[in-house]
Amino acid sequence: MREPRDVHDVAAGKMCTGCGVCAYLAPDEVRMGDVLEYGRRPLPLLPVRGPGAAEALRCCPGVKLEHDSGAPGPGEYADLRAAWGPVLRVYEGYAADPEIRFAGSSGGVATALSAFLIEQEGMTGALHIGARADVPYLNEARLSRSREELLANAGSRYAPASPCERLDLVEAGETPSVFIGKPCDVAAVSMARRERPELDRKVGLTIAVFCAGTPSTQGTLEMLKVMGVDDPSTITHVAYRGNGWPGEARTAVAGESRERTLTYEQSWGDILQKHRQWRCYLCADHTGEFADVAVGDPWYRPTAGDPGRSLVLARTERGLKLIEAAIAAGALVLEQVGPELLPASQPNLLRARGAVWGRMVTLRAAGLMTPRTRHLPMARMWRENLSAKEKLQSTVGTVRRIRRKRLRDPADLKPME
């Protein structure tokens, strides 16, 4: 199996998650750029390879995801640990603020919890993702310092995002801040905190959003085309979810008073998920195992007519303490529920994790790059949760993808103009 020399090898080998932590760690050598087919990728600032891009491998979730231990800690649900990571408590509920709840992709919990921590716990802000004002179908990292700023950027962004590239804003804050990101983003923050003590002191809470994969910008442009937008430069707003649960994909075009929409099933199910970056097909963590708090959709219940609900996992003592403080303050309306609702809400993830094991075994046999995982079991899910047909699909299908996705060829990382 090929070993990367630096983060540029990771990107060329199509193992990059696009988190941006390398640009934070080596800002003189690496910048993040939007590459149409692949997503946010590290681009070199120097004509030669520098040491910073190599040292950033220590924090790269594209090449490794490792728990310190696989054994359940005190207070954890032991039965959940192997497949779902550390879980101290499972809740279901929503933001008490109805405006935040409606704007969120499910129940608005990540936004409401962040607002509570800023307004009542003295945190500086929340580092997260929002749409670029000049190109609304692209994303940028920003530090929101108020409820209003958080609300303006509420809702999932099913498009490339690299929130870790602006961890410098967290590090420079007068008090700790919240970090909100995808599971791989939070894993990168976890590793970066070990390298940067000041960052570690300034991260007040990490919130991960359950993730089924990041589509490329090409996916968004195809979605807009299906909506009837032939010229993306005319759009003034793009939303992927929100305004109800699960919400519609919406876009506004200059000069039009009415938004164009697609259902969640049409936008994600028919279009966006087909454009997920290759590294997402090898992901062992869809539920934010390295976060203090993780939030996702309680898909076990019907969504019709519901203004929005979130499934919330307290993964650390810090996360549990701050969730309980937000409940006591009236910022969150959450009810503790049984641990069985986690697998019921994400019924396909055990099979998906088993399929990842089959894919990685096949790629390694072909001499191709794969991420290293430690204490994220997958072989058991392969044996116990996949049918013979699904096992064959994960291996033979990977052989086909090696050819179809040109996995032996380095990615052509030309940034969008």
Side-chain angles (χ1 to χ4, degrees):
M1 184 178 72
R2 290 186 298 167
E3 291 292 335
R5 295 166 294 173
D6 58 23
V7 295
H8 300 303
D9 279 352
V10 176
K14 301 170 186 173
M15 286 290 102
C16 180
T17 69
C19 73
V21 73
C22 50
Y24 159 69
L25 294 169
D28 296 331
E29 297 181 24
V30 179
R31 70 176 179 90
M32 299 302 292
D34 288 282
V35 180
L36 180 63
E37 183 182 354
Y38 298 106
R40 299 281 291 171
R41 291 294 179 265
L43 304 175
L45 288 172
L46 300 175
V48 296
R49 292 177 182 261
E55 292 168 1
L57 282 176
R58 294 199 295 264
C59 303
C60 177
V63 296
K64 66 177 181 178
L65 287 176
E66 300 177 337
H67 283 300
D68 293 333
S69 170
E76 285 185 27
Y77 289 113
D79 292 344
L80 293 181
R81 179 59 195 248
W84 306 95
V87 180
L88 300 179
R89 197 165 295 178
V90 182
Y91 302 87
E92 186 180 343
Y94 46 85
D97 183 326
E99 190 176 12
I100 290 178
R101 182 184 184 185
F102 185 66
S105 291
S106 47
V109 167
T111 300
L113 180 56
S114 299
F116 163 75
L117 295 174
I118 294 168
E119 294 172 349
Q120 300 190 42
E121 294 291 319
M123 293 198 185
T124 293
L127 182 64
H128 62 120
I129 287 298
R132 273 178 51 177
D134 58 334
V135 188
Y137 59 85
L138 298 180
N139 293 326
E140 64 182 2
R142 58 187 53 165
L143 187 72
S144 289
R145 299 173 180 268
S146 67
R147 171 193 176 278
E148 291 70 28
E149 290 180 354
L150 287 164
L151 186 58
N153 297 283
S156 297
R157 301 283 302 171
Y158 293 152
S162 48
C164 295
E165 67 178 313
R166 294 314 313 268
L167 283 170
D168 61 298
L169 297 175
V170 173
E171 190 173 342
E174 293 183 3
T175 62
S177 290
V178 186
F179 178 88
I180 307 172
K182 304 181 299 298
C184 54
D185 301 329
V186 174
V189 172
S190 177
M191 290 184 278
R193 293 173 71 173
R194 299 175 186 176
E195 301 291 325
R196 298 284 180 90
E198 184 60 22
L199 176 67
D200 186 44
R201 287 189 288 270
K202 292 296 178 63
V203 175
L205 188 78
T206 55
I207 302 175
V209 180
F210 289 11
C211 180
T214 300
S216 68
T217 302
Q218 208 164 42
T220 293
L221 294 180
E222 182 177 327
M223 181 187 76
L224 293 171
K225 188 172 183 179
V226 171
M227 288 176 164
V229 179
D230 295 321
D231 182 0
S233 68
T234 63
I235 67 171
T236 59
H237 173 73
V238 178
Y240 296 81
R241 286 183 63 182
N243 285 6
W245 183 41
E248 296 178 314
R250 310 182 310 279
T251 189
V253 176
E256 295 184 0
S257 59
R258 189 173 183 178
E259 289 186 325
R260 305 183 187 195
T261 65
L262 290 175
T263 66
Y264 176 69
E265 291 77 14
Q266 289 172 319
S267 61
W268 172 258
D270 294 343
I271 303 170
L272 294 169
Q273 61 90 15
K274 297 176 182 178
H275 291 271
R276 288 173 293 168
Q277 58 189 3
W278 172 241
R279 177 61 178 80
C280 296
Y281 287 84
L282 307 178
C283 182
D285 176 20
H286 293 277
T287 61
E289 296 188 20
F290 297 87
D292 294 309
V293 175
V295 296
D297 292 281
W299 290 126
Y300 78 93
R301 64 165 62 242
T303 62
D306 196 310
R309 289 175 179 268
S310 298
L311 193 74
V312 183
L313 310 181
R315 292 195 176 276
T316 65
E317 289 291 344
R318 181 192 307 208
L320 178 59
K321 176 183 175 182
L322 293 177
I323 287 172
E324 288 292 328
I327 294 171
L332 296 178
V333 179
L334 296 180
E335 175 187 5
Q336 185 178 351
V337 296
E340 70 279 0
L341 286 190
L342 174 54
S345 295
Q346 303 290 327
N348 298 320
L349 287 190
L350 292 182
R351 292 199 305 276
R353 196 147 158 171
V356 167
W357 186 81
R359 290 173 193 143
M360 292 210 294
V361 168
T362 305
L363 290 169
R364 288 168 185 160
L368 294 173
M369 197 183 304
T370 65
R372 301 190 310 273
T373 60
R374 185 166 176 259
H375 300 312
L376 286 96
M378 289 180 283
R380 193 176 83 188
M381 286 73 177
W382 160 270
R383 292 193 303 269
E384 298 177 1
N385 297 97
L386 267 66
S387 66
K389 180 180 179 181
E390 289 170 327
K391 290 174 181 175
L392 191 65
Q393 287 173 334
S394 74
T395 52
V396 175
T398 299
V399 172
R400 292 171 178 164
R401 285 188 177 111
I402 290 173
R403 296 194 300 270
R404 189 170 70 249
K405 292 182 176 291
R406 309 185 308 277
L407 296 181
R408 294 190 183 280
D409 301 331
D412 184 11
L413 302 178
K414 292 181 180 178
M416 296 170 58
E417 295 297 332

